[in-house]
């Protein structure tokens, strides 16, 4: 399935109260899902990145395969495409999560002017005004970043063809009858 996605994020105060929003439509223009995700404290760029992350999560829920994404954040688009470096560590970590989520899709992403991105902008502002997330057919399960960011650990516990387990050792025995050397005199009043 092919879908068209518009994303936007905003922050009042930068950093401050913010929201991330996505609107996902079929190619016929029918809205399949939309959400304004409230963020109590974020920067504008964090909200923009979050909007893309949320759109990818919802696209997977919808069973989409090819995504046509539009954003009015030129920085986000250029960083996603690798045209701009990501210097801020928080944004770099967010991009790793986004790339992992994007892997199963065919993605076409482009920058659009703000006046062509009014729907997610209105939704983000509505969520900021309400101080809560709002939506139609929103994400059912919002995974934690650690569920997304790292590849699943391999559960193979064999080394050299033998199963290994955690080592548990007994406590060392307490030594008894330890002789003490001569006691030093106390210079301030006693022996």
């Amino acid at each position: 399935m092919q879908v068209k996605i518009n994303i936007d994020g905003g922050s009042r105060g930068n950093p401050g109260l913010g929201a991330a929003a996505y609107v996902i439509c079929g190619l016929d223009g029918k809205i399949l899902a939309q959400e304004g995700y409230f963020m109590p404290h974020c920067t504008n760029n964090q909200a923009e990145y979050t909007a893309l992350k949320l759109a990818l999560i919802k696209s997977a829920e919808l069973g989409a395969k090819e995504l046509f994404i539009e954003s009015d954040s030129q920085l986000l688009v250029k960083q996603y495409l690798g045209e701009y470096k990501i210097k801020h560590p928080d944004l770099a970590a967010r991009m790793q999560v986004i790339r992992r989520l994007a892997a199963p899709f065919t993605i076409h992403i482009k920058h659009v002017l703000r006046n062509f991105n009014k729907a997610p902008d209105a939704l983000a502002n509505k969520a900021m005004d309400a101080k809560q997330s709002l939506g139609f057919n929103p994400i059912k399960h919002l995974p934690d970043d650690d569920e997304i960011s790292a590849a699943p650990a391999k559960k193979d516990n064999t080394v050299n063809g033998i199963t290994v387990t955690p080592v548990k050792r007994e406590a060392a025995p307490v030594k008894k009858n330890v002789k003490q050397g001569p006691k030093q005199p106390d210079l301030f009043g006693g022996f």
Side-chain angles (χ1 to χ4, degrees):
M1 169 177 32
Q2 297 176 319
V3 294
K4 181 179 180 280
I5 302 171
N6 287 79
I7 58 171
D8 197 16
S11 172
R12 295 179 181 162
N14 201 24
L17 177 84
Y22 63 86
V23 178
I24 302 175
C25 298
L27 295 185
D28 60 359
K30 180 182 176 188
I31 294 176
L32 304 174
Q34 63 180 5
E35 185 172 355
Y37 178 77
F38 178 67
M39 301 172 73
H41 189 78
C42 65
T43 66
N44 187 59
N45 289 332
Q46 289 170 330
E48 296 280 2
Y49 272 58
T50 300
L52 179 54
K53 175 182 128 177
L54 296 173
L56 294 170
I57 292 168
K58 186 60 189 179
S59 295
E61 276 186 14
L62 293 171
K65 300 295 179 203
E66 189 170 10
L67 315 180
F68 296 88
I69 303 170
E70 295 180 348
S71 171
D72 61 21
S73 171
Q74 187 174 30
L75 179 71
L76 170 65
V77 171
K78 298 270 188 183
Q79 287 178 333
Y80 181 84
L81 294 172
E83 295 175 20
Y84 290 172
K85 289 183 181 178
I86 304 172
K87 296 179 182 176
H88 194 280
D90 177 68
L91 295 181
R94 289 171 187 264
M95 185 58 78
Q96 285 182 335
V97 170
I98 287 168
R99 292 206 186 285
R100 184 156 181 81
L101 289 167
F105 300 108
T106 300
I107 293 184
H108 312 276
I109 188 168
K110 70 177 185 176
H111 173 256
V112 295
L113 297 176
R114 212 171 264 215
N115 60 328
F116 295 108
N117 208 40
K118 290 182 180 179
D121 179 64
L123 197 51
N125 279 302
K126 192 79 159 173
M128 283 186 267
D129 291 344
K131 294 183 175 55
Q132 67 178 18
S133 298
L134 307 165
F136 161 72
N137 190 18
I139 295 169
K140 292 177 184 143
H141 168 67
L142 186 60
D144 293 329
D145 282 346
D146 56 351
E147 287 180 66
I148 303 165
S149 60
K154 192 174 178 184
K155 298 285 185 182
D156 184 10
N157 288 337
T158 59
V159 177
N160 300 321
I162 300 172
T163 301
V164 293
T165 59
V167 175
K168 295 180 182 178
R169 301 187 195 282
E170 293 180 20
V174 178
K175 294 182 180 179
K176 297 178 183 177
N177 299 334
V178 176
K179 290 187 175 183
Q180 294 184 3
K183 188 174 180 183
Q184 294 290 327
D186 182 358
L187 299 175
F188 297 102
F191 280 76

Coordinates of all heavy atoms in Angstrom, one line a residue, residues 7-88:
I7 N 4.1 15.7 7.8 CA 4.5 15.7 9.2 C 4.9 17.2 9.6 O 5.3 18.0 8.7 CB 5.7 14.8 9.5 CG1 6.9 15.2 8.6 CG2 5.3 13.4 9.3 CD1 8.2 14.4 8.9
D8 N 4.8 17.5 10.9 CA 5.2 18.8 11.4 C 5.4 18.6 12.9 O 4.8 17.8 13.5 CB 4.1 19.8 11.1 CG 4.7 21.3 11.2 OD1 5.9 21.4 11.3 OD2 3.9 22.2 11.3
G9 N 6.2 19.5 13.4 CA 6.5 19.6 14.8 C 6.7 21.0 15.2 O 7.1 21.8 14.4
G10 N 6.4 21.3 16.4 CA 6.6 22.7 16.9 C 6.8 22.8 18.4 O 6.5 21.8 19.1
S11 N 7.4 23.9 18.8 CA 7.7 24.1 20.2 C 7.5 25.6 20.5 O 8.0 26.4 19.8 CB 9.2 23.7 20.5 OG 9.5 24.1 21.8
R12 N 6.7 25.8 21.6 CA 6.5 27.2 22.0 C 7.5 27.5 23.1 O 7.5 27.1 24.2 CB 5.1 27.4 22.5 CG 4.1 27.1 21.5 CD 2.7 27.2 22.0 NE 1.7 27.0 20.9 CZ 0.4 26.7 21.1 NH1 -0.1 26.6 22.3 NH2 -0.3 26.5 20.0
G13 N 8.5 28.3 22.7 CA 9.6 28.7 23.6 C 10.9 28.1 23.1 O 12.0 28.7 23.3
N14 N 10.9 27.0 22.4 CA 12.1 26.4 21.8 C 13.4 26.5 22.6 O 14.3 27.2 22.3 CB 12.3 27.0 20.4 CG 13.2 26.0 19.5 OD1 13.2 24.8 19.8 ND2 13.8 26.6 18.6
P15 N 13.5 25.7 23.7 CA 12.6 24.6 24.1 C 11.4 25.1 24.9 O 11.5 26.1 25.6 CB 13.5 23.7 24.9 CG 14.5 24.6 25.5 CD 14.7 25.7 24.5
G16 N 10.4 24.3 24.9 CA 9.2 24.5 25.7 C 8.2 23.5 25.3 O 8.4 22.5 24.8
L17 N 6.9 23.9 25.6 CA 5.8 23.1 25.3 C 5.7 22.8 23.8 O 6.0 23.7 23.0 CB 4.5 23.9 25.8 CG 3.2 23.4 25.5 CD1 2.8 22.4 26.6 CD2 2.2 24.5 25.4
G18 N 5.5 21.6 23.4 CA 5.5 21.3 22.0 C 4.6 20.1 21.6 O 3.9 19.6 22.5
A19 N 4.6 19.9 20.3 CA 3.8 18.7 19.8 C 4.4 18.3 18.5 O 5.0 19.1 17.7 CB 2.4 19.1 19.6
A20 N 4.2 17.0 18.1 CA 4.6 16.5 16.9 C 3.3 16.0 16.2 O 2.4 15.5 16.9 CB 5.5 15.3 17.1
A21 N 3.2 16.1 14.9 CA 1.9 15.7 14.3 C 2.2 15.0 12.9 O 3.2 15.3 12.2 CB 1.0 16.9 14.1
Y22 N 1.4 14.1 12.6 CA 1.4 13.4 11.3 C 0.0 13.3 10.8 O -1.0 13.1 11.5 CB 2.1 12.1 11.3 CG 1.4 11.0 12.2 CD1 0.3 10.3 11.7 CD2 1.7 10.9 13.5 CE1 -0.3 9.3 12.5 CE2 1.1 9.9 14.3 CZ 0.0 9.2 13.8 OH -0.6 8.3 14.5
V23 N -0.2 13.3 9.4 CA -1.4 13.1 8.8 C -1.1 12.1 7.7 O -0.3 12.4 6.8 CB -2.1 14.3 8.2 CG1 -3.4 14.0 7.5 CG2 -2.3 15.4 9.3
I24 N -1.7 10.9 7.7 CA -1.5 9.9 6.7 C -2.7 9.7 5.9 O -3.8 9.4 6.4 CB -1.1 8.5 7.4 CG1 0.1 8.7 8.3 CG2 -0.9 7.4 6.3 CD1 0.5 7.5 9.1
C25 N -2.6 9.8 4.6 CA -3.7 9.7 3.6 C -3.4 8.6 2.6 O -2.2 8.3 2.3 CB -3.9 11.0 2.9 SG -4.3 12.4 3.9
G26 N -4.5 8.0 2.1 CA -4.3 7.1 0.9 C -4.0 8.0 -0.3 O -4.2 9.3 -0.2
L27 N -3.6 7.5 -1.4 CA -3.3 8.3 -2.6 C -4.5 8.9 -3.1 O -4.5 9.9 -3.9 CB -2.6 7.4 -3.6 CG -1.2 6.9 -3.2 CD1 -0.5 6.2 -4.4 CD2 -0.3 8.0 -2.7
D28 N -5.7 8.5 -2.7 CA -7.0 9.1 -3.1 C -7.3 10.3 -2.2 O -8.3 11.0 -2.5 CB -8.1 8.1 -3.0 CG -8.4 7.5 -1.6 OD1 -7.6 7.9 -0.7 OD2 -9.3 6.7 -1.5
G29 N -6.5 10.6 -1.2 CA -6.7 11.8 -0.4 C -7.5 11.5 0.9 O -7.6 12.4 1.8
K30 N -8.0 10.3 1.1 CA -8.8 9.9 2.3 C -7.8 9.8 3.5 O -6.8 9.1 3.4 CB -9.5 8.6 2.0 CG -10.3 8.2 3.2 CD -11.0 6.9 3.0 CE -11.7 6.4 4.3 NZ -12.3 5.1 4.1
I31 N -8.1 10.5 4.6 CA -7.3 10.4 5.8 C -7.5 9.0 6.4 O -8.6 8.6 6.7 CB -7.7 11.5 6.8 CG1 -7.3 12.9 6.2 CG2 -6.9 11.3 8.1 CD1 -7.7 14.0 7.1
L32 N -6.3 8.3 6.6 CA -6.3 7.0 7.2 C -6.0 7.1 8.7 O -6.5 6.3 9.5 CB -5.3 6.1 6.5 CG -5.4 5.9 5.0 CD1 -4.2 5.1 4.5 CD2 -6.7 5.2 4.7
A33 N -5.2 8.1 9.1 CA -4.8 8.3 10.5 C -4.2 9.7 10.6 O -3.6 10.2 9.7 CB -3.8 7.2 10.9
Q34 N -4.4 10.3 11.8 CA -3.7 11.5 12.1 C -3.6 11.6 13.6 O -4.4 11.1 14.4 CB -4.4 12.7 11.5 CG -5.8 12.9 12.1 CD -6.5 14.2 11.4 OE1 -5.9 14.8 10.5 NE2 -7.7 14.5 11.9
E35 N -2.5 12.3 14.0 CA -2.3 12.4 15.5 C -1.5 13.6 15.7 O -0.5 13.9 15.1 CB -1.6 11.2 16.0 CG -1.4 11.2 17.5 CD -0.9 9.8 18.1 OE1 -0.7 8.9 17.3 OE2 -0.6 9.8 19.3
G36 N -1.9 14.4 16.8 CA -1.1 15.4 17.3 C -0.6 14.9 18.7 O -1.4 14.7 19.6
Y37 N 0.7 14.7 18.8 CA 1.3 14.1 19.9 C 1.9 15.2 20.9 O 2.8 15.9 20.5 CB 2.4 13.1 19.5 CG 3.2 12.4 20.6 CD1 2.6 11.3 21.3 CD2 4.4 12.8 20.9 CE1 3.3 10.7 22.3 CE2 5.1 12.1 21.9 CZ 4.6 11.1 22.6 OH 5.2 10.4 23.6
F38 N 1.3 15.3 22.0 CA 1.7 16.4 23.0 C 3.1 16.0 23.6 O 3.3 14.9 24.0 CB 0.7 16.6 24.0 CG 1.1 17.6 25.1 CD1 1.2 18.9 24.7 CD2 1.4 17.2 26.4 CE1 1.5 19.9 25.7 CE2 1.7 18.2 27.3 CZ 1.8 19.5 27.0
M39 N 4.0 17.0 23.6 CA 5.3 16.9 24.2 C 5.5 18.0 25.3 O 5.5 19.2 24.9 CB 6.4 17.0 23.2 CG 6.2 15.9 22.1 SD 7.4 16.0 20.7 CE 8.9 15.6 21.5
P40 N 5.5 17.7 26.6 CA 5.5 18.8 27.6 C 6.8 19.7 27.5 O 6.7 20.9 27.8 CB 5.6 18.0 28.9 CG 5.1 16.6 28.6 CD 5.4 16.4 27.2
H41 N 7.9 19.2 27.0 CA 9.1 20.0 26.9 C 10.0 19.4 25.7 O 10.4 18.2 25.8 CB 9.9 20.0 28.2 CG 11.0 20.9 28.2 ND1 10.8 22.3 28.4 CD2 12.3 20.7 28.0 CE1 12.0 22.9 28.4 NE2 12.9 22.0 28.1
C42 N 10.2 20.2 24.7 CA 11.1 19.8 23.6 C 11.5 21.0 22.8 O 11.1 22.1 23.0 CB 10.3 18.9 22.7 SG 8.9 19.7 21.9
T43 N 12.5 20.8 21.9 CA 12.9 21.8 21.0 C 12.0 21.6 19.7 O 11.4 20.5 19.5 CB 14.3 21.7 20.6 OG1 14.6 20.5 19.9 CG2 15.2 21.8 21.8
N44 N 12.1 22.5 18.8 CA 11.4 22.4 17.6 C 11.9 21.2 16.8 O 11.1 20.4 16.2 CB 11.5 23.7 16.7 CG 10.7 23.7 15.5 OD1 9.4 23.6 15.6 ND2 11.3 23.8 14.4
N45 N 13.2 21.1 16.7 CA 13.8 20.0 16.0 C 13.4 18.6 16.6 O 13.2 17.6 15.8 CB 15.3 20.1 15.9 CG 15.7 21.2 15.0 OD1 15.0 21.6 14.1 ND2 16.9 21.8 15.2
Q46 N 13.4 18.5 17.9 CA 13.0 17.3 18.5 C 11.5 16.9 18.1 O 11.2 15.8 17.9 CB 13.1 17.3 20.1 CG 14.6 17.4 20.5 CD 14.7 17.7 22.0 OE1 13.9 18.4 22.6 NE2 15.7 17.2 22.6
A47 N 10.7 17.9 18.1 CA 9.3 17.7 17.7 C 9.2 17.3 16.2 O 8.4 16.4 15.9 CB 8.5 19.0 17.9
E48 N 10.0 17.9 15.4 CA 10.0 17.5 13.9 C 10.4 16.0 13.8 O 9.8 15.2 13.0 CB 10.9 18.4 13.1 CG 10.5 19.8 13.1 CD 9.4 20.2 12.1 OE1 8.9 19.3 11.4 OE2 9.1 21.3 12.0
Y49 N 11.5 15.6 14.5 CA 12.0 14.3 14.4 C 11.0 13.3 15.0 O 10.8 12.2 14.4 CB 13.3 14.1 15.2 CG 14.6 14.4 14.4 CD1 14.8 15.6 13.8 CD2 15.6 13.5 14.3 CE1 15.9 15.9 13.1 CE2 16.7 13.7 13.6 CZ 16.9 14.9 13.0 OH 18.0 15.2 12.3
T50 N 10.3 13.7 16.1 CA 9.3 12.8 16.7 C 8.1 12.6 15.7 O 7.6 11.5 15.6 CB 8.8 13.4 18.0 OG1 10.0 13.5 18.9 CG2 7.7 12.6 18.7
A51 N 7.8 13.7 15.0 CA 6.7 13.5 14.0 C 7.0 12.5 13.0 O 6.1 11.6 12.6 CB 6.4 14.9 13.3
L52 N 8.2 12.5 12.5 CA 8.6 11.4 11.5 C 8.6 10.1 12.1 O 8.1 9.1 11.5 CB 10.0 11.8 10.9 CG 10.6 10.8 9.9 CD1 9.6 10.6 8.7 CD2 11.9 11.3 9.3
K53 N 9.1 9.9 13.3 CA 9.2 8.6 14.0 C 7.7 8.1 14.2 O 7.5 6.9 13.9 CB 9.8 8.8 15.4 CG 9.8 7.6 16.2 CD 10.4 7.8 17.6 CE 9.5 7.4 18.7 NZ 10.1 7.6 20.0
L54 N 6.8 8.9 14.6 CA 5.4 8.5 14.8 C 4.8 8.1 13.5 O 4.0 7.1 13.5 CB 4.6 9.6 15.5 CG 5.1 10.0 16.9 CD1 4.3 11.2 17.4 CD2 5.0 8.8 17.9
A55 N 5.0 8.9 12.5 CA 4.5 8.6 11.2 C 4.9 7.2 10.7 O 4.2 6.4 10.1 CB 4.8 9.6 10.2
L56 N 6.2 6.9 10.9 CA 6.7 5.6 10.5 C 6.1 4.4 11.3 O 5.7 3.4 10.8 CB 8.2 5.5 10.7 CG 9.0 6.5 9.7 CD1 10.5 6.6 10.1 CD2 8.8 6.1 8.3
I57 N 5.9 4.7 12.6 CA 5.3 3.6 13.5 C 3.8 3.4 13.0 O 3.4 2.2 12.9 CB 5.3 4.1 15.0 CG1 6.7 4.1 15.5 CG2 4.4 3.2 15.8 CD1 6.9 4.7 16.8
K58 N 3.1 4.4 12.7 CA 1.7 4.3 12.3 C 1.6 3.7 10.9 O 0.7 2.8 10.7 CB 1.0 5.6 12.4 CG -0.5 5.5 12.1 CD -1.2 4.5 13.1 CE -2.6 4.2 12.7 NZ -3.3 3.3 13.7
S59 N 2.5 4.0 10.0 CA 2.6 3.4 8.7 C 2.7 1.9 8.7 O 2.1 1.2 8.0 CB 3.7 4.1 7.8 OG 3.4 5.4 7.6
A60 N 3.6 1.5 9.7 CA 3.8 0.0 9.8 C 2.5 -0.6 10.3 O 2.1 -1.7 9.8 CB 4.9 -0.2 10.8
E61 N 1.8 0.0 11.3 CA 0.5 -0.5 11.8 C -0.5 -0.6 10.6 O -1.3 -1.5 10.6 CB -0.1 0.4 12.8 CG 0.4 0.2 14.2 CD -0.3 1.0 15.3 OE1 -1.4 1.6 15.0 OE2 0.2 1.1 16.4
L62 N -0.5 0.4 9.7 CA -1.4 0.4 8.6 C -1.1 -0.6 7.5 O -1.9 -0.9 6.6 CB -1.5 1.8 8.0 CG -2.1 2.9 8.9 CD1 -2.0 4.2 8.2 CD2 -3.6 2.6 9.1
G63 N 0.1 -1.2 7.5 CA 0.6 -2.1 6.5 C 1.1 -1.4 5.3 O 1.2 -2.0 4.2
A64 N 1.4 -0.2 5.4 CA 2.0 0.6 4.2 C 3.3 0.0 3.8 O 4.1 -0.5 4.7 CB 2.0 2.1 4.5
K65 N 3.7 0.2 2.5 CA 5.0 -0.3 2.0 C 5.8 0.8 1.4 O 7.0 0.9 1.5 CB 4.8 -1.4 1.0 CG 4.1 -2.6 1.5 CD 4.9 -3.3 2.6 CE 4.2 -4.6 3.1 NZ 4.6 -5.0 4.4
E66 N 5.1 1.8 0.8 CA 5.8 2.9 0.1 C 5.2 4.2 0.7 O 4.0 4.4 0.6 CB 5.6 2.8 -1.4 CG 6.4 3.8 -2.2 CD 6.4 3.5 -3.7 OE1 5.6 2.7 -4.2 OE2 7.2 4.2 -4.4
L67 N 6.1 5.1 1.2 CA 5.7 6.3 1.8 C 6.2 7.5 1.1 O 7.3 7.6 0.7 CB 6.3 6.3 3.2 CG 6.2 5.1 4.1 CD1 6.8 5.3 5.5 CD2 4.7 4.6 4.2
F68 N 5.2 8.4 0.8 CA 5.6 9.7 0.2 C 5.4 10.8 1.3 O 4.3 11.1 1.7 CB 4.6 10.0 -1.0 CG 4.8 9.0 -2.1 CD1 4.1 7.8 -2.1 CD2 5.7 9.3 -3.1 CE1 4.2 6.9 -3.1 CE2 5.9 8.4 -4.2 CZ 5.1 7.2 -4.2
I69 N 6.5 11.2 1.9 CA 6.5 12.0 3.1 C 6.9 13.5 2.7 O 7.8 13.7 1.9 CB 7.6 11.5 4.1 CG1 7.2 10.1 4.5 CG2 7.6 12.4 5.3 CD1 8.3 9.4 5.3
E70 N 6.1 14.4 3.2 CA 6.4 15.8 3.1 C 6.5 16.5 4.4 O 5.8 16.2 5.3 CB 5.2 16.5 2.3 CG 5.1 16.0 0.9 CD 3.9 16.6 0.1 OE1 3.1 17.3 0.7 OE2 3.9 16.4 -1.1
S71 N 7.6 17.4 4.5 CA 7.8 18.1 5.8 C 8.2 19.5 5.4 O 8.9 19.7 4.4 CB 9.0 17.4 6.5 OG 9.4 18.2 7.6
D72 N 7.8 20.5 6.3 CA 8.3 21.8 6.1 C 9.6 22.1 6.8 O 10.1 23.2 6.8 CB 7.2 22.8 6.4 CG 6.8 22.8 7.9 OD1 7.5 22.3 8.7 OD2 5.7 23.3 8.2
S73 N 10.2 21.1 7.4 CA 11.5 21.2 8.0 C 12.6 20.8 7.0 O 12.8 19.6 6.8 CB 11.6 20.4 9.3 OG 12.9 20.4 9.8
Q74 N 13.2 21.8 6.4 CA 14.3 21.5 5.5 C 15.4 20.8 6.2 O 16.0 19.9 5.6 CB 14.8 22.8 4.8 CG 15.8 22.6 3.7 CD 16.1 23.8 3.0 OE1 16.1 24.9 3.6 NE2 16.5 23.7 1.7
L75 N 15.7 21.2 7.4 CA 16.8 20.6 8.2 C 16.5 19.1 8.3 O 17.4 18.3 8.1 CB 16.9 21.2 9.6 CG 18.0 20.6 10.5 CD1 19.4 21.0 10.0 CD2 17.8 21.0 11.9
L76 N 15.3 18.7 8.8 CA 15.0 17.3 8.9 C 15.2 16.5 7.6 O 15.8 15.4 7.6 CB 13.6 17.1 9.4 CG 13.0 15.7 9.4 CD1 13.8 14.8 10.4 CD2 11.6 15.6 9.7
V77 N 14.6 17.0 6.5 CA 14.7 16.4 5.2 C 16.1 16.2 4.8 O 16.6 15.1 4.4 CB 13.9 17.1 4.2 CG1 14.1 16.6 2.8 CG2 12.4 17.1 4.5
K78 N 16.9 17.3 4.9 CA 18.3 17.2 4.4 C 19.1 16.3 5.3 O 20.0 15.6 4.8 CB 18.9 18.6 4.4 CG 18.3 19.6 3.5 CD 18.9 19.6 2.1 CE 18.4 20.7 1.3 NZ 18.9 20.6 -0.1
Q79 N 18.9 16.3 6.6 CA 19.6 15.3 7.5 C 19.2 13.9 7.2 O 20.0 13.0 7.2 CB 19.4 15.7 9.0 CG 20.1 17.0 9.3 CD 19.9 17.4 10.8 OE1 18.9 17.1 11.4 NE2 20.9 18.1 11.3
Y80 N 17.9 13.7 7.0 CA 17.5 12.3 6.7 C 18.1 11.8 5.4 O 18.5 10.7 5.3 CB 15.9 12.2 6.5 CG 15.5 10.8 6.2 CD1 15.3 9.9 7.2 CD2 15.3 10.4 4.9 CE1 14.9 8.6 6.9 CE2 14.9 9.1 4.6 CZ 14.7 8.2 5.6 OH 14.3 6.9 5.3
L81 N 18.2 12.7 4.4 CA 18.8 12.3 3.1 C 20.3 12.3 3.1 O 21.0 11.8 2.2 CB 18.3 13.3 2.0 CG 16.8 13.3 1.7 CD1 16.5 14.4 0.7 CD2 16.4 11.9 1.1
G82 N 20.9 12.7 4.2 CA 22.4 12.7 4.4 C 23.1 13.9 3.7 O 24.3 13.9 3.6
E83 N 22.3 14.9 3.4 CA 22.9 16.1 2.8 C 23.5 17.0 3.8 O 24.4 17.8 3.5 CB 21.8 16.8 1.9 CG 21.4 15.9 0.7 CD 20.2 16.6 -0.1 OE1 20.1 17.8 0.0 OE2 19.5 15.9 -0.8
Y84 N 22.9 17.0 5.0 CA 23.4 17.7 6.1 C 23.9 16.8 7.2 O 23.2 15.8 7.4 CB 22.4 18.6 6.8 CG 21.9 19.8 5.9 CD1 20.8 20.6 6.4 CD2 22.5 20.2 4.8 CE1 20.4 21.7 5.7 CE2 22.1 21.3 4.0 CZ 21.0 22.0 4.5 OH 20.6 23.1 3.8
K85 N 25.0 17.1 7.9 CA 25.4 16.3 9.0 C 24.5 16.6 10.2 O 24.0 17.7 10.4 CB 26.9 16.6 9.4 CG 27.9 16.2 8.4 CD 29.3 16.5 8.8 CE 30.3 16.0 7.8 NZ 31.6 16.3 8.2
I86 N 24.4 15.6 11.1 CA 23.7 15.8 12.3 C 24.7 15.9 13.4 O 25.4 15.0 13.8 CB 22.8 14.5 12.6 CG1 21.8 14.3 11.4 CG2 22.0 14.8 13.9 CD1 21.0 13.0 11.5
K87 N 24.8 17.1 13.9 CA 25.8 17.5 14.9 C 25.4 17.3 16.4 O 26.2 16.9 17.2 CB 26.3 18.9 14.7 CG 27.0 19.1 13.4 CD 27.5 20.5 13.2 CE 28.1 20.7 11.8 NZ 28.4 22.1 11.6
H88 N 24.1 17.5 16.6 CA 23.6 17.4 18.0 C 23.4 15.9 18.4 O 22.7 15.2 17.7 CB 22.3 18.1 18.1 CG 21.9 18.4 19.5 ND1 21.3 17.4 20.3 CD2 22.0 19.4 20.3 CE1 21.1 17.9 21.5 NE2 21.5 19.1 21.6

